[in-house]
Amino acid sequence: MEPSVVIRPETIGSTPAPDGAVDGPHALADRLRAIRTRMDQAATQASRNPADVTLVAVSKFHPQASVRAAMAAGQLVFGENRVQEAAAKFPPLRAESPALRLHLIGGLQTNKTRDAVRLADMIESLDRPALADALDRAAQTEGRLPDLLVEVNTGDEPQKFGVPREQADALIRACRQRFGEKLRGLMCIPPAHEDPRPHFRLLRAMAHTHGLSVLSMGMSADFEQAIAEGATLVRVGSAIFGPRPATPESTVAP
Ligand SMILES: *Cc1c(COP(=O)(O)O)cnc(C)c1O
């Protein structure tokens, strides 16, 4: 059980699925292609190189079969919210395709850090000193350290993960000192019913101040605006995989 004050992952993002009725691998490949096209257009419009923006396909709550269908359509980078779900779904897929990359994007409990460090290529949700401590210890035990992003709660929303704005600079500096180049950049999830662009701009300004190059921002509803504001990673779930099932229990294929 998660504490009730924590925002539930399925409530994040507001775009309804583009189609729900027929959802085979072809529909998924079509949606994936459409998203990539829109990403490229958004980058070009912003006078950016489309190759500088990476799509993280957020497969949380969706079965392994959907991840496989996306892989068959050329997608290699995936995002998951929960360590346990990622641990059940991804190791077999990685064995099939060593180029697969897994980003953990959900709030991370300190008691899950060893599994997270073992599984992930990037952890996008480093948001407090205690988690930095736990990740450091886990990295020493496991002998590996994923790339890291500090998640900033740009809207200072009490129910959200992410370091509050006024504590962000200190956490970023501390993580830079501790993790060096492994601290790659910043991530944010703007408030659901606000114009996201000021939040994207704030994140970009913070990254610039600290000399960090990776900006993870933008989801199904706003990835084009995020690209216009400098996103290098966009995390798109429902616009690729369709609506999320109500519970994560059914996500591991038989
Ligand atoms: C679920 C989730 C997404 C994807 O949201 P969509 O609106 O489905 O694209 C992106 N980022 C985080 C942190 C998420 O939890």
Side-chain angles (χ1 to χ4, degrees), residues 9-10 12-15 58 60 81 105-106 151 187 189 218-221 235-239 242 244:
E10 65 270 26
I12 295 172
S14 53
T15 303
V58 179
K60 67 184 180 203
N81 266 53
I105 62 175
E151 177 177 355
M187 184 268 249
I189 307 171
M219 312 194 297
S220 290
R235 310 177 309 271
V236 179
S238 47
R244 283 184 275 279

Tab-separated table of all heavy atoms in Angstrom, residues 9-10 12-15 58 60 81 105-106 151 187 189 218-221 235-239 242 244, ligand 1:
chain	number	residue	atom	x	y	z
A	9	PRO	N	-0.031	7.032	-9.610
A	9	PRO	CA	0.572	7.211	-10.930
A	9	PRO	C	-0.462	7.256	-12.056
A	9	PRO	O	-0.282	7.986	-13.014
A	9	PRO	CB	1.471	5.983	-11.093
A	9	PRO	CG	1.572	5.357	-9.752
A	9	PRO	CD	0.470	5.875	-8.896
A	10	GLU	N	-1.556	6.509	-11.910
A	10	GLU	CA	-2.510	6.473	-13.014
A	10	GLU	C	-3.273	7.784	-13.152
A	10	GLU	O	-3.952	7.998	-14.143
A	10	GLU	CB	-3.466	5.283	-12.891
A	10	GLU	CG	-4.393	5.321	-11.682
A	10	GLU	CD	-3.764	4.648	-10.468
A	10	GLU	OE1	-2.515	4.605	-10.375
A	10	GLU	OE2	-4.524	4.175	-9.618
A	12	ILE	N	-1.696	10.632	-13.097
A	12	ILE	CA	-0.770	11.596	-13.685
A	12	ILE	C	-0.976	11.611	-15.194
A	12	ILE	O	-1.056	10.574	-15.829
A	12	ILE	CB	0.691	11.217	-13.364
A	12	ILE	CG1	0.931	11.316	-11.862
A	12	ILE	CG2	1.652	12.121	-14.114
A	12	ILE	CD1	2.272	10.779	-11.434
A	13	GLY	N	-1.060	12.787	-15.746
A	13	GLY	CA	-1.280	12.884	-17.186
A	13	GLY	C	-2.770	12.927	-17.455
A	13	GLY	O	-3.563	12.390	-16.699
A	14	SER	N	-3.166	13.563	-18.526
A	14	SER	CA	-4.592	13.796	-18.703
A	14	SER	C	-5.087	13.488	-20.107
A	14	SER	O	-6.220	13.754	-20.432
A	14	SER	CB	-4.909	15.242	-18.360
A	14	SER	OG	-4.062	16.092	-19.096
A	15	THR	N	-4.233	12.915	-20.934
A	15	THR	CA	-4.672	12.662	-22.297
A	15	THR	C	-5.411	11.335	-22.385
A	15	THR	O	-4.875	10.308	-21.992
A	15	THR	CB	-3.468	12.589	-23.246
A	15	THR	OG1	-2.755	13.791	-23.131
A	15	THR	CG2	-3.909	12.413	-24.682
A	58	VAL	N	6.525	5.116	-21.529
A	58	VAL	CA	6.145	4.767	-20.148
A	58	VAL	C	5.148	3.613	-20.175
A	58	VAL	O	3.983	3.777	-20.527
A	58	VAL	CB	5.562	5.993	-19.421
A	58	VAL	CG1	5.155	5.611	-17.995
A	58	VAL	CG2	6.587	7.128	-19.389
A	60	LYS	N	4.246	1.569	-17.625
A	60	LYS	CA	3.692	1.170	-16.322
A	60	LYS	C	2.263	0.662	-16.475
A	60	LYS	O	1.471	1.237	-17.222
A	60	LYS	CB	3.725	2.345	-15.347
A	60	LYS	CG	2.813	3.479	-15.727
A	60	LYS	CD	2.970	4.663	-14.773
A	60	LYS	CE	2.034	5.778	-15.201
A	60	LYS	NZ	2.480	7.079	-14.720
A	81	ASN	N	7.192	3.087	-13.189
A	81	ASN	CA	7.040	3.803	-11.923
A	81	ASN	C	7.462	2.996	-10.710
A	81	ASN	O	7.935	3.545	-9.739
A	81	ASN	CB	5.566	4.147	-11.710
A	81	ASN	CG	5.250	5.505	-12.212
A	81	ASN	OD1	5.554	5.782	-13.357
A	81	ASN	ND2	4.703	6.338	-11.371
A	105	ILE	N	10.944	6.155	-13.022
A	105	ILE	CA	10.471	7.541	-13.019
A	105	ILE	C	9.527	7.836	-11.863
A	105	ILE	O	9.044	8.950	-11.729
A	105	ILE	CB	9.762	7.873	-14.359
A	105	ILE	CG1	8.531	6.981	-14.561
A	105	ILE	CG2	10.726	7.721	-15.530
A	105	ILE	CD1	7.717	7.334	-15.809
A	106	GLY	N	9.245	6.837	-11.022
A	106	GLY	CA	8.288	7.044	-9.930
A	106	GLY	C	8.989	7.325	-8.615
A	106	GLY	O	10.177	7.058	-8.451
A	151	GLU	N	14.572	15.083	-9.315
A	151	GLU	CA	13.193	15.482	-9.625
A	151	GLU	C	12.834	16.716	-8.801
A	151	GLU	O	12.937	16.712	-7.580
A	151	GLU	CB	12.221	14.341	-9.305
A	151	GLU	CG	10.768	14.734	-9.553
A	151	GLU	CD	9.784	13.583	-9.311
A	151	GLU	OE1	10.239	12.445	-9.039
A	151	GLU	OE2	8.570	13.841	-9.395
A	187	MET	N	14.366	16.456	-13.635
A	187	MET	CA	13.056	15.993	-14.110
A	187	MET	C	11.974	16.773	-13.384
A	187	MET	O	12.165	17.174	-12.233
A	187	MET	CB	12.927	14.496	-13.823
A	187	MET	CG	11.656	13.852	-14.336
A	187	MET	SD	10.304	13.829	-13.163
A	187	MET	CE	10.195	12.078	-12.814
A	189	ILE	N	7.344	17.171	-13.090
A	189	ILE	CA	5.957	16.899	-13.492
A	189	ILE	C	5.146	18.134	-13.088
A	189	ILE	O	4.826	18.306	-11.925
A	189	ILE	CB	5.388	15.664	-12.764
A	189	ILE	CG1	6.313	14.456	-12.934
A	189	ILE	CG2	3.972	15.357	-13.262
A	189	ILE	CD1	5.920	13.266	-12.049
A	218	GLY	N	7.729	16.707	-20.003
A	218	GLY	CA	6.750	16.497	-21.053
A	218	GLY	C	6.210	15.076	-21.018
A	218	GLY	O	6.976	14.123	-20.903
A	219	MET	N	4.879	14.968	-21.066
A	219	MET	CA	4.192	13.676	-21.084
A	219	MET	C	3.223	13.679	-22.269
A	219	MET	O	3.346	14.517	-23.161
A	219	MET	CB	3.476	13.464	-19.746
A	219	MET	CG	4.387	13.755	-18.543
A	219	MET	SD	3.775	13.151	-16.955
A	219	MET	CE	2.282	14.075	-16.749
A	220	SER	N	2.271	12.739	-22.284
A	220	SER	CA	1.382	12.634	-23.446
A	220	SER	C	0.732	13.963	-23.821
A	220	SER	O	0.609	14.288	-24.999
A	220	SER	CB	0.281	11.599	-23.177
A	220	SER	OG	0.825	10.302	-23.145
A	221	ALA	N	0.316	14.722	-22.804
A	221	ALA	CA	-0.480	15.923	-23.076
A	221	ALA	C	0.364	17.131	-23.469
A	221	ALA	O	-0.163	18.079	-24.045
A	221	ALA	CB	-1.326	16.265	-21.850
A	235	ARG	N	8.567	11.740	-21.527
A	235	ARG	CA	8.035	10.502	-20.950
A	235	ARG	C	6.584	10.340	-21.379
A	235	ARG	O	5.700	10.992	-20.839
A	235	ARG	CB	8.129	10.543	-19.420
A	235	ARG	CG	9.513	10.939	-18.876
A	235	ARG	CD	9.486	11.028	-17.358
A	235	ARG	NE	8.402	11.848	-16.861
A	235	ARG	CZ	8.483	13.168	-16.654
A	235	ARG	NH1	9.606	13.819	-16.862
A	235	ARG	NH2	7.427	13.825	-16.221
A	236	VAL	N	6.351	9.509	-22.365
A	236	VAL	CA	5.015	9.401	-22.945
A	236	VAL	C	4.454	8.008	-22.691
A	236	VAL	O	5.072	7.004	-23.076
A	236	VAL	CB	5.049	9.712	-24.454
A	236	VAL	CG1	3.653	9.568	-25.062
A	236	VAL	CG2	5.604	11.111	-24.705
A	237	GLY	N	3.305	7.952	-22.024
A	237	GLY	CA	2.680	6.670	-21.696
A	237	GLY	C	1.411	6.411	-22.477
A	237	GLY	O	1.400	5.714	-23.486
A	238	SER	N	0.299	7.011	-22.028
A	238	SER	CA	-1.011	6.658	-22.580
A	238	SER	C	-1.130	6.942	-24.070
A	238	SER	O	-1.856	6.228	-24.766
A	238	SER	CB	-2.115	7.369	-21.797
A	238	SER	OG	-1.804	8.723	-21.633
A	239	ALA	N	-0.445	7.928	-24.588
A	239	ALA	CA	-0.543	8.216	-26.019
A	239	ALA	C	0.095	7.110	-26.866
A	239	ALA	O	-0.165	7.012	-28.061
A	239	ALA	CB	0.098	9.568	-26.346
A	242	GLY	N	-2.072	3.397	-24.768
A	242	GLY	CA	-3.499	3.430	-24.504
A	242	GLY	C	-3.753	3.630	-23.024
A	242	GLY	O	-2.830	3.836	-22.248
A	244	ARG	N	-4.356	3.178	-19.128
A	244	ARG	CA	-3.749	2.218	-18.216
A	244	ARG	C	-4.828	1.399	-17.528
A	244	ARG	O	-5.846	1.945	-17.117
A	244	ARG	CB	-2.929	2.963	-17.157
A	244	ARG	CG	-1.600	3.444	-17.696
A	244	ARG	CD	-0.762	4.094	-16.633
A	244	ARG	NE	-1.073	5.497	-16.434
A	244	ARG	CZ	-0.605	6.478	-17.209
A	244	ARG	NH1	0.171	6.205	-18.237
A	244	ARG	NH2	-0.917	7.730	-16.978
B	1	LIG	C1	2.698	7.917	-15.921
B	1	LIG	C2	3.800	8.889	-16.025
B	1	LIG	C3	4.116	9.494	-17.256
B	1	LIG	C4	3.337	9.241	-18.529
B	1	LIG	O1	2.100	9.892	-18.463
B	1	LIG	P1	1.130	9.905	-19.763
B	1	LIG	O2	0.235	11.056	-19.501
B	1	LIG	O3	0.445	8.600	-19.772
B	1	LIG	O4	1.977	10.113	-20.939
B	1	LIG	C5	5.203	10.347	-17.300
B	1	LIG	N1	5.931	10.612	-16.208
B	1	LIG	C6	5.664	10.059	-15.011
B	1	LIG	C7	6.523	10.377	-13.844
B	1	LIG	C8	4.594	9.183	-14.882
B	1	LIG	O5	4.312	8.658	-13.694
